[in-house]
Each structure stands twice: as structure tokens, then as C-alpha cells.
Amino acid sequence: MNDEELMAKTLHVAKEAGMLLLHKHGTVLPFGLTLDPAGDNPRTYFPRDQLPRASWDELLDATIAHLERSIDSGGIGAIALVTTLESGSESGLGVQVETRDSSLFLVYPYKGTGQSKSLGEPQTAEGLLVGPLLSS
């Protein structure tokens, strides 16, 4: 799988997982996703499971730490960091995707309530939410 295909697959999986959480909970707390270099074996990490009372910042830090440990253990071809982002009255699904060769940070604005929330067209954000963690 080339870098472009790996990036696209990781983005798709991360966006779909984020949408499921958005519909179920109305928001997306920070979580991480890893895929192997072939684009297989997606693994998610939801820090809220281990840290039920943690703040958004603490959940973000835990997600980043988990992704860094995963990268250090080897066998990681791509990562994603996904969370709700808010600015004033606007909300969006932030998705940072990285492969060894590239990185991308998109924000999908969303509207609606509960299960009727829908994503708008993605906007490319300048820079990254954090990092880079995997790409150089």
C-alpha cells in the first residue's frame, strides 16, 4: 500500500469512528487510531475508558502518550488523532492523520443534534493539532 492509499484509508477509518461516537454521544472525546504499514489491523485507543473523570486536555495527553508508545513499539504505518474541536458557536470533528512520509489535519464542521448531526465539507487546517508524532 503506497503512502497516499494508507493516508486515505486511515482518514476514512478515523472519520467513520468519529462519526459513530458523534452520533452516539453528541461529541467526540480525544481518541487514537493506528494501522500497520499494510493498512490493516486498525487499533483504537479511547482514554475515557481508563480515565472516566479526566478533562479534555488530560484525555488528549493520554491519547498522544499512547500513540507515541505504539510508534516506539514498531509495526505502525499510520496514526490518527480524532476529537471534537470547538470555536465560539461552531463545532467540528478534528482528524489528524500521519504516515511516515506525510501528515494532514482536517476539520469537518458539523451541524444538527443527536443522531441527526451531519458533517460538512472538510477544511484543511494549518499545521497539526499536535506533533508531528509519526511523520518527519
Side-chain angles (χ1 to χ4, degrees), residues 34 63-79 100 132-134:
T34 61
T63 302
I64 293 166
H66 174 81
L67 290 171
E68 288 173 336
R69 284 189 306 274
S70 296
I71 292 165
D72 290 344
S73 70
I76 301 297
I79 63 169
R100 297 266 177 211
L133 302 173
L134 180 62

Side-chain angles (χ1 to χ4, degrees), residues 2-53:
N2 68 36
D3 189 68
E4 187 175 316
E5 293 168 331
L6 185 56
M7 179 75 77
K9 184 171 185 177
T10 306
L11 178 61
H12 175 76
V13 173
K15 178 182 159 194
E16 291 300 312
M19 279 300 300
L20 287 173
L21 291 171
L22 186 61
H23 286 149
K24 184 174 181 180
H25 300 290
T27 191
V28 178
L29 296 173
F31 75 91
L33 168 76
T34 61
L35 276 77
D36 67 18
D40 295 326
N41 299 316
R43 298 190 189 279
T44 53
Y45 172 70
F46 300 98
R48 174 61 92 189
D49 294 344
Q50 291 81 31
L51 307 165
R53 292 184 180 85

